[in-house]
Amino acid sequence: MSSYNINEKFIYKYENDIDKNQLIKLFESVGWKTAEYQNRLYNAIKNSDYVMTVWDGENLVGLISAITDGYINVFITYLLVRPDYQKIGLGKIMMNDFIKRFEGFGRRILTTELDKEEYYKKFGFNIEGIAMFNKDWRKDIEE
């Protein structure tokens, strides 16, 4: 794990092994269904190729994660900022770090809600094709 300060208030860390309670609390704060599957979520983040977190003291307030084949494709799995920390540039810092880290990859991919499209266009993302899903949200896995 490595970490650095952008300013006096926040600490940015590259880490996969995040306290599960902090992780769930962050996902619950934005109302995402993923928070209902605590063990799946924890393991998904732990097994991601890239995870950057934002901390305000001991509180997890932001996260971006991605999976990659290492050469051509990198897929943002999550980008979220706790609602009371939104609109102050934390998402922008995380997105810029992601873009820089995966510069030269043929495809940087994400899925998003339609109302977030304009936000991601600022980072060079464009709609191209469609995304298809085969969802299976039966139950959480055992720890």
Side-chain angles (χ1 to χ4, degrees), residues 22 25 54-62 82 85:
Q22 288 278 349
K25 187 176 174 181
V54 183
W55 297 82
D56 182 1
E58 299 294 317
N59 297 308
L60 177 64
V61 299
R82 217 169 77 181
Y85 286 83

Coordinates of all heavy atoms in Angstrom, one line a residue, residues 22 25 54-62 82 85:
Q22 N -15.9 -0.1 6.7 CA -15.7 1.2 6.0 C -16.2 1.1 4.6 O -16.9 2.0 4.1 CB -14.3 1.6 6.0 CG -13.8 2.0 7.4 CD -14.1 3.5 7.7 OE1 -14.6 4.3 6.8 NE2 -13.9 3.9 8.9
K25 N -20.1 0.9 4.5 CA -20.6 2.2 4.8 C -20.5 3.2 3.6 O -21.5 3.9 3.4 CB -19.8 2.8 6.0 CG -20.4 4.0 6.6 CD -19.6 4.4 7.8 CE -20.0 5.8 8.4 NZ -19.2 6.2 9.5
V54 N -9.9 7.3 -0.9 CA -9.7 8.7 -0.3 C -10.2 8.6 1.1 O -11.3 8.1 1.4 CB -10.5 9.7 -1.1 CG1 -10.3 11.1 -0.5 CG2 -10.2 9.7 -2.6
W55 N -9.4 9.1 2.0 CA -9.7 9.1 3.4 C -9.7 10.5 4.0 O -8.9 11.3 3.7 CB -8.7 8.3 4.2 CG -8.7 6.8 3.8 CD1 -8.1 6.3 2.7 CD2 -9.4 5.8 4.4 NE1 -8.3 5.0 2.6 CE2 -9.1 4.6 3.6 CE3 -10.1 5.7 5.5 CZ2 -9.6 3.4 4.0 CZ3 -10.7 4.4 5.9 CH2 -10.4 3.3 5.1
D56 N -10.7 10.7 4.9 CA -10.7 12.0 5.7 C -10.5 11.5 7.1 O -11.5 11.0 7.8 CB -12.1 12.7 5.6 CG -12.1 14.0 6.4 OD1 -11.1 14.3 7.0 OD2 -13.2 14.6 6.3
G57 N -9.3 11.5 7.6 CA -9.0 10.9 8.9 C -9.1 9.4 8.8 O -8.5 8.7 7.9
E58 N -10.0 8.9 9.6 CA -10.2 7.4 9.7 C -11.4 7.0 8.8 O -11.8 5.8 8.8 CB -10.5 6.9 11.1 CG -9.3 7.2 12.0 CD -8.1 6.4 11.6 OE1 -8.2 5.2 11.3 OE2 -6.9 6.9 11.6
N59 N -12.0 7.9 8.1 CA -13.2 7.7 7.3 C -13.0 7.6 5.8 O -12.4 8.5 5.2 CB -14.3 8.8 7.6 CG -14.7 8.9 9.0 OD1 -15.1 7.9 9.6 ND2 -14.6 10.1 9.6
L60 N -13.4 6.4 5.3 CA -13.3 6.2 3.8 C -14.4 7.1 3.2 O -15.6 6.9 3.4 CB -13.5 4.7 3.5 CG -13.6 4.4 2.0 CD1 -12.2 4.6 1.4 CD2 -13.9 2.9 1.9
V61 N -14.0 8.0 2.3 CA -15.0 8.9 1.7 C -15.0 8.8 0.1 O -15.9 9.4 -0.5 CB -14.7 10.4 2.1 CG1 -14.9 10.5 3.6 CG2 -13.4 10.9 1.6
G62 N -14.1 8.0 -0.5 CA -14.1 7.9 -1.9 C -13.3 6.6 -2.3 O -12.4 6.2 -1.6
R82 N -18.7 9.6 -1.1 CA -19.7 9.8 -0.2 C -20.5 11.2 -0.5 O -19.8 12.2 -0.8 CB -19.2 9.9 1.2 CG -20.0 9.2 2.3 CD -19.3 9.0 3.6 NE -19.2 10.3 4.3 CZ -18.7 10.4 5.5 NH1 -18.1 9.4 6.0 NH2 -18.6 11.6 6.1
Y85 N -19.3 14.5 0.5 CA -17.9 14.9 0.0 C -17.9 15.1 -1.5 O -16.9 15.3 -2.1 CB -16.9 13.9 0.4 CG -16.5 13.9 1.9 CD1 -17.3 13.2 2.8 CD2 -15.4 14.5 2.3 CE1 -17.0 13.2 4.1 CE2 -15.1 14.5 3.6 CZ -15.9 13.9 4.6 OH -15.5 13.9 5.9

